[in-house]
């Protein structure tokens, strides 16, 4: 039987859990941080950070995260990068998405161009991995960034997301959105060309290429894919901050509309908020707030029984 093991740090573990949100098993084994079943692959993550992939296709599923294997912390993560040595100093477009692991709120994708001359300014403004920033820092930095950076922000609100998701996997949806955002930014900065493009990796590059193969225009020239892209180039960190700001802002607006807090993530708190919305207006109301294909929908329905 195919089998692969990788070692992940805490934040990667959280990212993986969010990634497999729709496929989580209800009864993870003892000492497991989570367990998921995706097609024929069973994924078990332990609190030690060890993640075990078993079953047909295990290696290819693990390879999505393969770069994590060598990286227990930020300092060692740079060693496993396949990027050119001085890549962090290039003028590039970075892109990232937010909201894929959150039951409530939109899926947001942002691409942003950062000229190498602007890198010191971005550092000054506090741009770094958004996982190390508070929500209010993200909001204020994002507002600065959108005032001068060439960027494209695509926001798919839940209602639209749910209708697209019926005919398209989340992976394909993300790939198509990244490709569109990149086209927009390339057009904005034309005739200038970036030295490269870095997409924060969410699937195998070969899968990404397959996902955008039916698009009229495919941005693939000088495109790199890296996990932890935010730590590879500040353009990805900037794109990530803008995407997260848009996501948080939508959650705020949803909370105002609902009259109670619409939480981020996909935990018990989400189930409870979903149950309230279901009680008030059924699936059609919930579908204006949430990504209905997540397991939270069923859990909320259970809560109402
Ligand atoms: Mn990302």
């Amino acid at each position: 039987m195919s089998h692969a093991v990788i070692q992940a740090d805490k934040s990667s573990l959280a990212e993986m859990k969010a990634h497999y949100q729709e496929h989580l098993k209800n009864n993870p084994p003892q000492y497991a941080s989570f367990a998921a079943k995706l097609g024929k692959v069973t994924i078990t993550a332990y609190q030690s950070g060890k993640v075990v992939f078993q079953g047909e296709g295990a290696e290819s599923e693990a390879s999505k995260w393969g770069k994590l294997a060598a990286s227990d912390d930020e300092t060692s993560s740079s060693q496993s990068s396949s990027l050119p040595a001085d890549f962090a100093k290039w003028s590039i477009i970075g892109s990232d998405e937010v909201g894929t692991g959150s039951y409530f709120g939109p899926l947001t994708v942002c691409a942003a161009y950062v000229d190498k001359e602007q890198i010191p300014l971005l550092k000054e403004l506090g741009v770094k991995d958004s996982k190390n920033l508070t929500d209010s820092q993200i909001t204020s930095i994002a507002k600065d960034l959108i005032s001068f950076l060439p960027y494209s922000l695509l926001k798919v609100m839940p209602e639209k997301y749910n209708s697209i998701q019926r005919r398209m996997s989340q992976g394909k949806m993300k790939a198509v959105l990244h490709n569109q955002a990149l086209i927009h930014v390339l057009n904005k900065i034309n005739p200038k060309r970036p030295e490269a493009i870095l997409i924060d990796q969410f699937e195998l590059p070969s899968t990404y290429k397959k996902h955008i193969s039916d698009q009229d225009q495919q941005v693939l020239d000088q495109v790199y894919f890296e996990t932890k892209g935010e730590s590879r180039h500040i353009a990805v960190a900037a794109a990530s901050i803008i995407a997260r700001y848009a996501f948080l802002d939508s959650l705020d607006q949803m909370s105002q509309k609902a009259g109670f807090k619409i939480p981020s993530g996909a935990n018990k708190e989400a189930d409870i908020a979903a149950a309230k919305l279901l009680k008030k207006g059924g699936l059609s109301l919930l579908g204006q707030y949430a990504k209905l294909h997540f397991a939270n929908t069923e859990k909320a329905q259970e809560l109402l029984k």
Side-chain angles (χ1 to χ4, degrees):
M1 188 168 72
S2 178
H3 170 238
V5 182
I6 64 171
Q7 182 72 36
D9 61 22
K10 258 206 181 102
S11 80
S12 305
L13 217 53
E15 202 176 312
M16 293 179 81
K17 186 176 181 182
H19 179 85
Y20 293 116
Q21 185 55 47
E22 312 156 32
H23 308 283
L24 292 184
K25 298 209 295 196
N26 281 327
N27 304 309
Q30 201 183 2
Y31 306 120
S33 147
F34 70 86
K37 174 110 187 177
L38 188 71
K40 290 180 177 160
V41 186
T42 301
I43 302 145
T44 313
Y46 294 91
Q47 273 146 22
S48 63
K50 190 179 278 185
V51 186
V52 182
F53 296 76
Q54 285 167 294
E56 197 184 314
E59 269 133 15
S60 119
E61 189 60 31
S63 69
K64 284 185 188 170
W65 308 96
K67 292 223 171 57
L68 300 175
S71 59
D72 282 319
D73 56 45
E74 290 297 317
T75 47
S76 66
S77 67
S78 58
Q79 294 165 1
S80 58
S81 168
S82 60
L83 296 170
D86 60 346
F87 187 82
K89 296 176 186 159
W90 291 16
S91 300
I92 75 153
I93 299 176
S95 76
D96 197 10
E97 81 285 331
V98 170
T100 55
S102 177
Y103 181 53
F104 287 112
L107 166 59
T108 60
V109 174
C110 181
Y113 174 69
V114 175
D115 193 281
K116 54 172 157 256
E117 309 290 328
Q118 294 172 316
I119 294 171
L121 169 65
L122 261 62
K123 286 184 179 161
E124 192 101 342
L125 291 172
V127 176
K128 57 181 165 192
D129 190 339
S130 63
K131 287 178 199 83
N132 300 322
L133 295 168
T134 65
D135 289 356
S136 72
Q137 284 173 319
I138 285 166
T139 301
S140 81
I141 297 169
K143 283 179 177 165
D144 287 339
L145 293 177
I146 59 180
S147 72
F148 68 91
L149 277 189
Y151 75 99
S152 169
L153 172 66
L154 302 175
K155 189 161 72 168
V156 185
M157 296 305 283
E159 222 164 3
K160 178 95 178 281
Y161 177 99
N162 292 326
S163 82
I164 300 174
Q165 198 275 325
R166 277 176 217 126
R167 59 187 152 84
M168 194 186 278
S169 69
Q170 198 195 56
K172 173 154 172 107
M173 205 189 308
K174 283 193 274 189
V176 169
L177 291 165
H178 273 274
N179 185 59
Q180 281 176 0
L182 292 172
I183 293 170
H184 294 161
V185 178
L186 284 169
N187 288 338
K188 274 189 185 173
I189 65 173
N190 189 45
K192 208 184 321 181
R193 299 277 311 168
E195 291 175 276
I197 290 169
L198 179 58
I199 298 175
D200 189 38
Q201 186 172 334
F202 57 90
E203 61 186 0
L204 284 174
S206 56
T207 310
Y208 180 86
K209 283 169 200 161
K210 203 164 65 198
H211 278 152
I212 64 164
S213 61
D214 60 352
Q215 300 294 297
D216 290 341
Q217 195 183 338
Q218 296 156 32
V219 180
L220 289 168
D221 192 30
Q222 280 291 94
V223 173
Y224 293 85
F225 300 86
E226 284 282 325
T227 54
K228 298 195 173 178
E230 300 98 323
S231 62
R232 315 289 188 196
H233 197 291
I234 205 163
V236 177
S240 176
I241 287 171
I242 296 170
R244 185 160 296 279
Y245 162 62
F247 171 77
L248 292 170
D249 188 53
S250 291
L251 278 189
D252 271 355
Q253 287 177 25
M254 287 181 172
S255 300
Q256 279 179 26
K257 198 174 130 194
F260 55 87
K261 189 185 173 215
I262 299 297
S264 173
N267 53 18
K268 189 87 196 158
E269 199 189 348
D271 301 341
I272 295 165
K276 280 197 209 174
L277 289 166
L278 269 181
K279 200 171 177 188
K280 198 169 150 196
L283 273 177
S284 67
L285 180 69
L286 181 58
Q288 295 171 25
Y289 291 82
K291 304 180 185 79
L292 294 177
H293 64 122
F294 279 42
N296 302 79
T297 303
E298 269 178 52
K299 289 181 195 159
Q301 285 163 334
E302 284 297 313
L303 283 178
L304 284 184
K305 277 180 192 164

